[in-house]
């Protein structure tokens, strides 16, 4: 074999080896998003689409309540054993009054509307007085609580273009008025801490940040996560006569010891677990102890209105099932376990605590 033929032979051999290696590497790749093999674990399963007791969902959003067919909504609620839904997207003024009117014409016992604050014009001399008056009018029109969205602290700016803090002094009269009116404030502040961390393989929310890039946060966006959370806690501390319901466990569902210390510190602080049930489902023993200790301070909340997803909540709260998936992999790639709460605790979480905090709920819809 001459030199030219030998070179051609070795080149062909190298290319063939490279192609085989490449094919092996391609076959060996695992796509994290799509790799989801069925478990071979054989354990008891209790999949239920209906809650054990009638419940109140205190964190829901219906964005067209003045005109939507509420009869259809009630039918879907019945399938879940949801006796009362709280719509946190009530807005204010004519919109809120129209929503309440539709509710009363359909079934006043089953649907509750919370008002929202319009921050337009904050910084003007009369803004606070006007906002308080509007809140009073909304409660007279039928609002049974106030919802504050996460835009406060994130994007709300005053007339000078300055970011408005959650604990801004110009808002204090609003929180005080809620206490006087006897209505709770359900407030969402910030987002999960991981949204501020580097979006890399060391971040538990990396998959979510890749698939939902708009959720990446940084201190340059406004306030840091730590500052936002501190502002919320200042608010609770400053207004002890007002009941606050903190959305999403205050983003401390992954640190229940610390959350417990907050509850011990602030008697007017209550919490709901909308969109964080997966955090509780991966620590069933710790979560069960937490629910038993703070059973009078925890409320049922879901957030997004996707009826098929409620079964995950029921399964975590009611059963002792093992190693089952969450319904959104980008929220929780891990498996979950049931907490197995007692009937006494379940009843408080499902409806008793909400009845205590929200005025005007018809108690006859629920067992003792």
């Amino acid at each position: 074999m001459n030199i030219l033929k030998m070179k051609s032979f070795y080149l062909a051999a190298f290319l063939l080896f490279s192609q085989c290696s490449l094919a092996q590497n391609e076959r060996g790749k695992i796509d994290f998003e799509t790799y989801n093999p069925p478990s071979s674990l054989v354990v008891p399963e209790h999949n239920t689409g209906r809650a054990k007791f009638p419940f109140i969902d205190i964190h829901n959003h219906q964005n067209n309540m003045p005109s939507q067919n509420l009869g259809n909504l009630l039918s879907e609620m019945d399938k879940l054993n949801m006796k009362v839904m709280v719509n946190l997207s009530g807005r204010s003024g004519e919109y809120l009054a129209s929503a309440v009117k539709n509710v009363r014409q359909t079934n006043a016992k089953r649907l509750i509307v919370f008002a929202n604050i319009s921050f337009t014009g904050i910084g003007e001399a009369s803004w606070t007085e006007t906002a308080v008056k509007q809140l009073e009018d909304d409660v007279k029109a039928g609002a049974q609580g106030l919802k504050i969205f996460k835009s406060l602290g994130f994007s709300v700016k005053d007339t000078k273009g300055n970011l408005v803090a959650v604990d801004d002094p110009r808002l204090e009269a609003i929180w005080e008025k809620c206490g006087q009116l006897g209505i709770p404030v359900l407030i969402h502040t910030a987002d999960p801490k991981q949204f501020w961390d580097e979006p890399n393989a060391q971040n538990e929310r990396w998959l979510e940040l890749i698939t939902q890039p708009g959720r990446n946060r940084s201190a340059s966006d406004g306030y840091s996560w730590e500052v936002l959370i501190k502002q919320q806690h200042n608010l609770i501390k400053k207004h002890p006569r007002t009941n606050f319901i903190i959305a999403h466990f205050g983003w401390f569902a992954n640190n229940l010891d610390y959350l417990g210390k907050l509850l011990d510190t602030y008697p007017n602080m209550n919490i709901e677990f909308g969109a964080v049930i997966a955090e509780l489902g991966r620590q069933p023993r710790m979560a069960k102890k937490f629910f038993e200790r703070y059973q009078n301070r925890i409320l049922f909340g879901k957030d997004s209105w996707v009826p098929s997803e409620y079964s995950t909540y029921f399964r975590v709260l009611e059963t002792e099932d093992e190693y089952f998936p969450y319904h959104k992999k980008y929220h929780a790639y891990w498996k979950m376990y049931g907490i197995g709460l007692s009937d006494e605790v379940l009843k408080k979480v499902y409806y008793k605590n909400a009845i205590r905090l929200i005025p005007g709920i018809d108690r006859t819809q629920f067992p003792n």
Side-chain angles (χ1 to χ4, degrees):
M1 184 179 293
N2 58 37
I3 297 296
L4 183 59
K5 287 184 177 180
M6 287 181 64
K7 287 183 177 179
S8 298
F9 172 79
Y10 285 123
L11 178 60
F14 174 76
L15 291 173
L16 179 62
F17 175 78
S18 298
Q19 289 174 351
C20 290
S21 298
L22 181 61
Q24 284 184 334
N25 286 337
E26 289 296 326
R27 286 197 299 268
K29 282 187 176 179
I30 299 176
D31 188 311
F32 182 76
E33 292 184 61
T34 58
Y35 181 66
N36 193 27
S39 173
S40 61
L41 187 67
V42 180
V43 289
E45 296 184 1
H46 302 87
N47 292 305
T48 175
R50 185 175 174 83
K52 184 176 183 180
F53 299 108
F55 71 98
I56 299 170
D57 182 354
I58 58 92
H59 190 151
N60 209 288
H61 298 283
Q62 299 294 319
N63 294 307
N64 196 28
M65 189 164 268
S67 59
Q68 75 183 94
N69 186 330
L70 298 180
N72 292 338
L73 178 63
L74 292 174
S75 295
E76 292 298 311
M77 290 166 55
D78 287 338
K79 295 175 185 177
L80 301 170
N81 204 15
M82 184 192 300
K83 192 60 66 174
V84 174
M85 173 190 285
V86 178
N87 177 22
L88 299 179
S89 300
R91 305 189 198 178
S92 63
E94 290 185 13
Y95 183 97
L96 183 139
S98 297
V100 172
K101 181 179 178 181
N102 195 12
V103 166
R104 289 174 175 171
Q105 289 176 342
T106 306
N107 192 323
K109 294 181 178 182
R110 304 284 305 278
L111 298 164
I112 288 173
V113 179
F114 272 29
N116 310 132
I117 295 294
S118 172
F119 294 102
T120 301
I122 184 171
E124 296 175 358
S126 62
W127 183 87
T128 300
E129 182 182 353
T130 300
V132 170
K133 177 63 167 58
Q134 184 61 62
L135 177 61
E136 289 179 311
D137 290 344
D138 290 339
V139 171
K140 289 177 182 177
Q144 292 168 252
L146 176 65
K147 167 61 170 27
I148 301 297
F149 294 99
K150 66 180 179 181
S151 56
L152 180 62
F154 263 154
S155 58
V156 171
K157 294 184 178 181
D158 64 18
T159 52
K160 294 182 179 180
N162 298 317
L163 200 61
V164 178
V166 178
D167 57 352
D168 190 293
R170 291 169 290 189
L171 307 178
E172 290 189 3
I174 294 173
W175 319 130
E176 285 299 307
K177 178 56 65 175
C178 288
Q180 293 170 15
L181 294 172
I183 60 170
V185 178
L186 196 153
I187 182 169
H188 174 172
T189 303
D191 271 330
K193 171 65 168 62
Q194 294 89 343
F195 287 8
W196 276 260
D197 296 336
E198 284 295 319
N200 57 34
Q202 304 305 309
N203 189 325
E204 279 191 319
R205 296 270 188 162
W206 191 30
L207 179 58
E208 182 172 2
L209 294 173
I210 289 174
T211 57
Q212 314 284 330
R215 298 182 181 181
N216 282 276
R217 305 289 183 188
S218 71
S220 62
D221 294 333
Y223 297 111
S224 67
W225 185 84
E226 290 82 2
V227 169
L228 284 168
I229 296 301
K230 179 62 176 175
Q231 290 174 358
Q232 185 192 77
H233 297 168
N234 288 342
L235 187 67
I236 301 168
K237 181 180 180 180
K238 284 182 179 179
H239 303 279
R241 292 174 294 182
T242 301
N243 286 317
F244 291 92
I245 303 171
I246 308 304
H248 313 298
F249 261 40
W251 305 120
F252 285 109
N254 62 333
N255 190 349
L256 295 179
D257 262 346
Y258 185 75
L259 182 57
K261 292 175 183 177
L262 291 174
L263 291 171
D264 292 339
T265 302
Y266 306 118
N268 59 326
M269 177 180 179
N270 304 274
I271 52 177
E272 61 87 16
F273 45 72
V276 295
I277 195 72
E279 294 286 0
L280 303 173
R282 65 171 171 170
Q283 48 176 331
R285 290 186 289 273
M286 182 75 176
K288 186 170 186 175
K289 290 178 182 178
F290 182 85
F291 271 74
E292 289 173 344
R293 179 170 180 178
Y294 298 103
Q295 58 187 268
N296 296 318
R297 314 279 289 281
I298 305 171
L299 294 86
F300 186 104
K302 166 69 172 63
D303 199 352
S304 60
W305 175 237
V306 184
S308 62
E309 295 177 354
Y310 281 81
S311 59
T312 304
Y313 285 70
F314 305 151
R315 195 173 183 185
V316 170
L317 298 172
E318 297 179 13
T319 80
E320 294 184 347
D321 283 2
E322 299 181 282
Y323 201 75
F324 56 90
Y326 186 61
H327 47 261
K328 290 179 182 176
K329 191 174 182 181
Y330 72 77
H331 266 179
Y333 57 84
W334 53 80
K335 302 297 183 183
M336 298 191 298
Y337 302 80
I339 300 173
L341 297 176
S342 68
D343 287 355
E344 179 184 6
V345 175
L346 271 176
K347 288 178 180 180
K348 290 181 179 180
V349 172
Y350 275 165
Y351 60 90
K352 287 186 176 182
N353 293 337
I355 290 173
R356 174 176 55 84
L357 290 170
I358 302 173
I361 297 178
D362 183 355
R363 298 169 179 260
T364 63
Q365 302 178 90
F366 302 92
N368 292 328

